[in-house]
């Protein structure tokens, strides 16, 4: 099954983003920490040129910490890029993002000269959640977004930073079907576009390879079965997804399995690893103390 999602009006979107970027000091690209590459739009790297870019690895509370550390090292190799894992729902964690914005635009952040930060990202990565947490109130609603946004919403955080929200301009790359399946497994693609059985089989195969112990613990105490289909059958039986005659309904079993995985019932799981064989220095993500405050106090 080929997964398709949004139509590609990328030409117009590209022009709009290029225009907006000229009036931006820092770009905040929100990614899903569980699948940072599949949840990005590669066109964006080209559009941002040399503007500083913070890659927010959001939903860090759901992602495998060791894999997220590997992604942080991966992104630290990219010129002008600062990776920052966080959970957009946690105010304390999002405040690190503001400090980093100020560090990356030291010439701004004064009264009348705010840091202009543009929030971008494909749908469902948590842009609205992040903006609402930063603003301390509900200013962004994902459900309100048209497919192609022309005018960015400006949100003055009243702390020397103005955010521009440019939702809907970027779509994931559906040509990459493995990436599309990762997105689908994570819950980023509307369920109406989904074939649960196929996505469930994809996720089951990935977890059998990368997180076998978690599966054994939750569904198959006697050991992993030989195939993803058998795993879904076992988990479906355990979760009560039965059709007539005691037979497991594979579609319902896959849906229940995906729901459990997305809700963190199998622990923190990542669905994608950075490319193997990178020679990267071993260092951890920036801590709050590493992100220096600007010299001048902000209003
Ligand atoms: P978007 O603007 O990029 O389209 O994404 P949005 O903020 O609407 O977030 C998409 C979903 O991801 C929401 O869940 C939201 O609660 C969830 N989310 C965002 N950030 C985080 C995070 O850091 N951790 C976790 N665990 N979830 C996060 P939803 O089920 O679609 O909506 P709701 O049930 O929260 O209302």
């Amino acid at each position: 099954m080929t997964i398709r999602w949004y139509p590609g009006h990328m030409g117009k979107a590209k022009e709009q983003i290029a225009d907006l970027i000229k009036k931006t000091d820092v770009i905040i690209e929100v990614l899903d920490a569980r699948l940072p590459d599949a949840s990005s739009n590669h066109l964006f790297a080209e559009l941002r040129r040399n503007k500083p870019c913070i890659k927010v690895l959001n939903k860090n509370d759901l992602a495998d910490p060791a894999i997220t550390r590997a992604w942080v090292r991966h992104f630290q190799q990219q010129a002008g890029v600062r990776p920052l894992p966080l959970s957009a729902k946690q105010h304390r964690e999002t405040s690190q993002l503001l400090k980093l914005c100020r560090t990356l635009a030291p010439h701004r952040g004064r009264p009348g000269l705010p840091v202009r930060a543009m929030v971008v990202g494909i749908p469902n990565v948590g842009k609205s959640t992040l903006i609402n947490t930063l603003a301390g109130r509900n200013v962004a609603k994902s459900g309100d977004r048209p497919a192609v946004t022309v005018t960015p919403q400006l949100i003055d955080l009243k702390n020397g930073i103005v955010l521009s929200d440019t939702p809907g301009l970027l779509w994931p790359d559906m040509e990459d079907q493995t990436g599309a399946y990762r997105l689908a497994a994570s819950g980023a693609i509307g369920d109406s576009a989904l074939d649960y059985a196929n996505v469930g089989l994809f996720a089951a195969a990935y977890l059998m390879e990368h997180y076998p112990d978690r599966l054994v613990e939750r569904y198959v105490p006697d050991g992993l079965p030989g195939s993803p289909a058998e795993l879904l059958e076992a988990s479906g039986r355990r979760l009560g997804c039965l059709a007539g005659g005691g037979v497991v309904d594979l579609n319902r079993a896959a849906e229940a399995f995906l729901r459990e995985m997305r809700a963190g019932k199998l622990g923190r799981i990542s669905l994608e690893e950075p490319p193997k064989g990178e020679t990267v220095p071993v260092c951890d993500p920036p801590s709050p103390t590493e992100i220096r405050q600007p010299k001048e106090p902000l209003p």
Side-chain angles (χ1 to χ4, degrees):
M1 182 201 62
T2 304
I3 296 180
R4 296 197 190 287
W5 198 18
Y6 289 93
H9 306 296
M10 290 303 283
K12 193 174 172 199
K14 208 172 154 179
E15 276 171 36
Q16 290 166 347
I17 287 201
D19 228 35
L20 289 166
I21 282 176
K22 289 183 201 147
K23 300 165 210 149
T24 299
D25 304 303
V26 179
I27 291 152
I28 299 172
E29 188 182 7
V30 185
L31 306 172
D32 187 322
R34 297 168 295 173
L35 51 157
D37 190 59
S39 63
S40 70
N41 183 302
H42 295 164
L43 176 73
F44 191 64
E46 172 198 323
L47 287 174
R48 79 171 175 85
R49 294 171 178 253
N50 52 3
K51 294 274 176 176
C53 175
I54 303 170
K55 290 202 189 260
V56 168
L57 302 177
N58 189 35
K59 309 195 187 185
N60 189 33
D61 53 304
L62 299 174
D64 181 332
I67 306 295
T68 301
R69 282 197 292 277
W71 277 110
V72 166
R73 295 196 288 274
H74 168 81
F75 287 125
Q76 280 171 338
Q77 302 309 296
Q78 298 180 358
V81 168
R82 298 289 291 270
L84 185 67
L86 54 79
S87 167
K89 295 185 172 183
Q90 301 297 328
H91 186 266
R92 192 176 44 79
E93 294 183 22
T94 59
S95 61
Q96 289 187 40
L97 177 61
L98 300 181
K99 290 179 192 165
L100 193 48
C101 283
R102 292 188 186 109
T103 312
L104 293 174
H107 55 294
R108 304 208 39 124
R110 290 191 291 278
L113 206 63
V115 177
R116 298 160 303 175
M118 184 167 113
V119 181
V120 297
I122 68 165
N124 290 319
V125 286
K127 296 181 298 299
S128 314
T129 308
L130 178 67
I131 291 169
N132 290 338
T133 304
L134 289 171
R137 60 192 198 284
N138 272 5
V139 285
K141 274 209 187 96
S142 58
D144 292 340
R145 293 178 168 166
V148 179
T149 302
V150 181
T151 317
Q153 188 189 356
L154 290 180
I155 300 137
D156 188 348
L157 299 181
K158 312 268 187 218
N159 57 9
I161 296 179
V162 173
L163 298 178
S164 65
D165 179 15
T166 61
L169 286 172
L170 295 171
W171 292 273
D173 177 6
M174 288 296 164
E175 294 301 309
D176 167 15
Q177 278 290 296
T178 306
Y181 268 90
R182 286 182 171 132
L183 279 166
S186 77
I189 292 181
D191 284 346
S192 58
L194 278 187
D195 171 345
Y196 279 121
N198 277 317
V199 178
L201 287 169
F202 170 86
Y206 190 88
L207 267 58
M208 283 172 78
E209 188 180 343
H210 296 269
Y211 299 96
D213 298 350
R214 315 260 186 104
L215 297 171
V216 169
E217 196 180 319
R218 187 147 184 93
Y219 305 121
V220 280
D222 295 334
L224 271 191
S227 71
E230 288 169 274
L231 176 75
L232 284 190
E233 196 183 337
S235 67
R237 201 166 289 286
R238 215 161 180 86
L239 298 171
C241 306
L242 300 178
V247 178
V248 171
D249 177 331
L250 185 64
N251 222 40
R252 275 179 58 209
E255 187 180 349
F257 177 77
L258 289 169
R259 204 179 316 115
E260 289 228 329
M261 185 190 74
R262 292 169 186 169
K265 293 263 164 63
L266 297 166
R268 293 171 70 176
I269 277 174
S270 292
L271 293 166
E272 184 177 42
E273 293 183 17
K276 297 260 187 255
E278 285 184 330
T279 47
V280 293
V282 177
C283 53
D284 282 322
S287 71
T289 46
E290 281 172 306
I291 302 165
R292 291 211 196 98
Q293 292 277 10
K295 290 200 181 93
E296 287 179 41
L298 291 164

